Amino acid sequence: MDFSLLTRHRGLLAFVLLVLGLAVTLCVTNGQLKDIADVEWLDVVGEGSICLLTLCWITAVMISRPPGKVTALLVAGLAFFNFSAMLDVFDEFTFYSDAAHWLSVVESIPAAMGMVVMSVALYWWHQEQLALNKQLQRREMWYRAHDQIDVITQLYRADYWRARAMELQEQGVKAAVVILDINDFSQFNLRYGHAEGDRFLKEISQLIVMNLRAVDLACRYAGDRFVILMPEIAAEEACEFARQLECSIRNVAFRSGGQTTAIFHSVRSVSAQLQQQVTLAEMMAGLNRQLDETSRQAA
Ligand SMILES: Nc1nc2c(ncn2[C@@H]2O[C@H](COP(=O)(O)OP(=O)(O)OP(=O)(O)O)[C@@H](O)[C@H]2O)c(=O)[nH]1
């Protein structure tokens, strides 16, 4: 688990600790210890678990999300809820004098407030998710499986692409497929190093995504090969799109290390229409053969 995001939530952490400190202070200053025989241990376990789990949720939110309105509201709501949960647990070990009876009357109010704040947080989370979905549309085509994302390019891997392509094929949706391969990438690696090769792959991926329509899907197929799924498009249009993409990539000025001299590199592509009579595996094998053939001819 990566806790590095915690350091970016210092203000929220201070707020949570303040709320927890307040609950402890109120209890210590107003409560009197019960006799151990009067403690209901089953209640302690139940209420203690709620308290601990809420603290785990607060931690999970802070280590998963960057700072912002949604994170602040989620943590604040959970902290209020935890305040009531803590008073509930302390209740099991202490009793309040008549002068402090108000405490047991109002102890559930922060929990209710917390639920309201969390409901507002969920509304904004929903809005945020819609915005993120829009940004990710060309990378995931309305389906999310984060464990299939390629770490270098941040595109989905081939299996993910295959699953989405098969869905379109089964539904009989007209679609085209484009495969792109970087020319002489092994030479690029040899000359500039593997790390620069990785950076180049990443930049090419971003450029491909930038060139797509909102409904298309780009994935990393293998090594230096990318595959694009383009619904509602004919083969000729896909071919023209691939040509334009080749042209964009050829004109990308990649700078290795601190060098000012730009490196211009090329890709080659093949495209075809998705067909119901031909299996996806056969079609991809054919396209890959075509790509390898163009490489042999150029050599
Ligand atoms: N930096 C980097 N290189 C990779 C990665 N995956 C594959 N490669 C390299 O990509 C190269 C692919 O080699 P080839 O299939 O011969 O392709 P090529 O050199 O581009 O030759 P042609 O496709 O025929 O133009 C190999 O050198 C691999 O080591 C990666 O994730 N990062």
Side-chain angles (χ1 to χ4, degrees):
M1 222 180 269
D2 181 6
F3 286 87
S4 56
L5 262 181
L6 262 187
T7 55
R8 305 204 56 199
H9 295 295
R10 288 194 191 93
L12 277 180
L13 262 176
F15 175 74
V16 172
L17 292 174
L18 189 80
V19 172
L20 298 189
L22 185 65
V24 175
T25 311
L26 277 175
C27 188
V28 169
T29 50
N30 293 291
Q32 289 161 25
L33 270 182
K34 278 183 186 171
D35 197 77
I36 198 81
D38 294 335
V39 175
E40 300 278 353
W41 290 104
L42 205 58
D43 286 355
V44 172
V45 172
E47 288 161 11
S49 318
I50 292 174
C51 198
L52 277 178
L53 281 175
T54 315
L55 284 175
C56 290
W57 289 2
I58 291 175
T59 314
V61 170
M62 287 203 269
I63 63 171
S64 313
R65 293 185 49 88
K69 180 162 70 177
V70 175
T71 310
L73 285 170
L74 281 173
V75 171
L78 284 167
F80 284 137
F81 187 83
N82 194 259
F83 179 85
S84 293
M86 279 185 83
L87 288 185
D88 251 0
V89 177
F90 291 143
D91 249 9
E92 299 303 320
F93 298 99
T94 56
F95 63 89
Y96 301 120
S97 61
D98 285 347
H101 184 64
W102 61 271
L103 204 50
S104 49
V105 175
V106 301
E107 74 176 16
S108 57
I109 292 177
M113 273 168 53
M115 298 293 260
V116 172
V117 174
M118 276 191 283
S119 304
V120 175
L122 286 177
Y123 169 76
W124 285 112
W125 196 353
H126 169 71
Q127 296 296 324
E128 178 193 85
Q129 202 52 57
L130 293 182
L132 288 175
N133 288 353
K134 240 183 200 167
Q135 278 181 14
L136 292 172
Q137 163 68 16
R138 285 176 284 183
R139 290 171 185 263
E140 57 184 28
M141 206 180 247
W142 302 123
Y143 190 89
R144 191 160 297 163
H146 69 277
D147 50 341
Q148 291 182 45
I149 292 176
D150 169 57
V151 282
I152 293 174
T153 59
Q154 292 300 303
L155 297 178
Y156 277 103
R157 294 193 293 264
D159 285 348
Y160 179 91
W161 184 88
R162 245 174 246 121
R164 303 286 77 74
M166 273 173 163
E167 273 170 18
L168 293 191
Q169 208 176 20
E170 280 161 16
Q171 291 160 9
V173 176
K174 177 171 122 180
V177 174
V178 175
I179 308 186
L180 286 177
D181 190 283
I182 302 175
N183 289 325
D184 301 321
F185 191 54
S186 44
Q187 294 303 316
F188 186 103
N189 273 332
L190 277 176
R191 187 150 179 207
Y192 304 104
H194 215 266
E196 286 298 89
D198 285 358
R199 202 163 68 77
F200 185 69
L201 285 174
K202 197 171 173 183
E203 298 213 350
I204 294 292
S205 314
Q206 284 168 0
L207 191 76
I208 293 174
V209 170
M210 238 171 67
N211 273 273
L212 298 182
R213 301 170 306 160
V215 290
D216 299 331
L217 169 73
C219 292
R220 185 178 184 190
Y221 189 70
D224 60 346
R225 210 160 268 198
F226 297 88
V227 63
I228 304 168
L229 185 60
M230 309 184 80
E232 303 297 349
I233 206 174
E236 306 77 55
E237 291 171 280
C239 190
E240 173 57 19
F241 164 83
R243 203 191 54 74
Q244 290 168 4
L245 191 52
E246 278 184 33
C247 182
S248 313
I249 294 173
R250 235 189 346 261
N251 287 296
V252 168
F254 182 79
R255 286 186 171 77
S256 174
Q259 289 182 0
T260 48
T261 313
I263 301 159
F264 294 95
H265 213 80
S266 63
V267 296
R268 61 189 187 284
S269 66
V270 285
S271 54
Q273 191 91 42
L274 202 63
Q275 288 170 21
Q276 278 182 303
Q277 315 81 280
V278 183
T279 68
L280 196 61
E282 282 166 358
M283 178 191 181
M284 293 307 280
L287 285 175
N288 279 310
R289 263 198 309 276
Q290 241 178 289
L291 262 184
D292 294 337
E293 190 55 38
T294 54
S295 164
R296 262 194 298 277
Q297 282 168 5

